[in-house]
Structure formats: C-alpha cells, structure tokens
Amino acid sequence: MDPLIRFKDAHSKGLIPDDVYDLTIERFPITISGINRIEKASGIRYPIAYVEPSLVITSPHPNSYEFGILFARTIPVMFDEKFQVVIQISAPLIAYGLKGTIHAILAHEFLHFLDLMRKISKMELLSDEISGNLFENVYSDETRLFEPRAVFKDRTLLNHITKKFPAGFHDFKLEDKVMKFWADRNLPKSNISLDANTVKLSAESLSKIKLDPQFIAKLEQLEEKSCKIHKKQLY
C-alpha cells in the first residue's frame, strides 16, 4: 500500500494546496528514514503506516477550549477477521516537523505498538482506560509504554525521545507552525474525542489473533528489560 495514497487523493480533490503538497512530498523521505532507523535500532519490523491528510486534534469535551494535537496515532484494525496495527502519521508533522521530532514521534508510536501487542499476547486488552483530561491522558500514556532504552540501540534516537517526551509530547515551535500554516489556512482538520483514541477489542476478536511465537518471546525479553530499568530508576 502506498502510504501517501490518502494524501495524494486529498490533493487531487483540491483539499491540499500545491505548496503544502510539494513540501510534504519533498520531506516524506525523512519519515521513511525514521522507520528504517527504528527497525534497525529495535530489530523489529515497523507496522504499516500511512499519511493522514488532515490536522488531527482532540479535546476532552465537545465544547471545550482545551485541545491537543495528535501528530500520530497507533490504530488497531480488524478487517475481514484479520488483525492489523496501523500507524497514522499526520501530514502537518511531515511538512513542518524537524527530523529529530519526526523520528521521536515515530519511535513513540512504535512503543505504543509494542505495548498493544504485549497486551494482546496476554489477553489484557478487553478495554482500556479513558481519561477525561488531556494531562491525565498524557501521564497514563507515558506510564504504560516500554522503556525506550530497553527497545532501541540508537543513542541519538533515544536522546530525541527523551527531549521530546519528558512528560508528554511538547514542541511549541512545531505547534505554532502547524497552527499558522495549516489551521489558520483552513486546511483539512479532524476532531476526535479522547475515547476514540483508546483501544477496545472484544474477547472474540482477541481470540482470533495469532501472533508469531518468536515475536511474543521478543516482547517478553523487552518487558523484562523495561522492568529492570524502571526498578533502577526507583532505587
């Protein structure tokens, strides 16, 4: 699947102007290099990824002035009784994000993917907690992921993740650029509720998912490494 197919379609329909289209296409190789880098640093294949041709924002309540920008999302999909994990990458991130930021966000979503697969392997994913507050949602997001140092053998990548995600993602320069060059120009925007960004799979769906035993063993090794690192940080 062409990861740019939805973005190209939006451009052909006149939803994305030529200058933004050209910039995103020109900078898309940064995304590809990030995916290759993560695969090399972890020894695990990156999930299917595609470019979302809109600015994805979320708020705790429909009438709330508080909102957050979701530059990427990890989405589980059941299609024809087959399970897949898809990484949605927003076009504004690719167009206006620095290389280190893009790679950090791709790596962060990869940790989401690993955590999701860990839960599935242990049949722990019947439901997921929903937070009504963006800060609480960021905090719970950080506490349930694999420890990056247990997953990636790439010091520069680890530095990017540490700087960008000390307690949730913050990049004010990127957010300002996105608001100025995307939102203020009334380019495509998607509003989703916080509960739409959580994962819910039925017990029946979970029972149909078959994972590679070698992949499960790798997840168990990473989980053990993560636990050891967390213990060292506590004492």
Side-chain angles (χ1 to χ4, degrees), residues 103-121:
H103 287 194
I105 290 176
L106 290 174
H108 184 76
E109 292 307 316
F110 185 73
L111 296 177
H112 269 297
F113 159 68
L114 294 180
D115 189 64
L116 175 61
M117 302 311 288
R118 178 191 65 80
K119 287 183 176 180
I120 288 173
S121 69

Side-chain angles (χ1 to χ4, degrees), residues 165-230:
F165 294 92
F169 174 75
H170 291 291
D171 190 324
F172 297 114
K173 287 185 179 179
L174 171 59
E175 291 166 5
D176 287 344
K177 275 187 175 182
V178 168
M179 296 306 294
K180 180 179 179 180
F181 298 117
W182 192 285
D184 292 351
R185 292 178 66 181
N186 292 318
L187 298 186
K189 182 170 64 177
S190 301
N191 289 278
I192 66 168
S193 59
L194 277 177
D195 59 347
N197 201 41
T198 58
V199 176
K200 292 184 182 67
L201 292 173
S202 67
E204 183 182 2
S205 296
L206 280 173
S207 66
K208 293 178 180 178
I209 299 172
K210 305 298 181 186
L211 299 179
D212 183 353
Q214 290 184 340
F215 181 53
I216 293 175
K218 178 74 171 179
L219 289 176
E220 290 173 349
Q221 290 173 7
L222 294 178
E223 186 176 12
E224 186 177 341
K225 285 183 181 179
S226 291
C227 289
K228 288 180 179 178
I229 292 172
H230 285 150

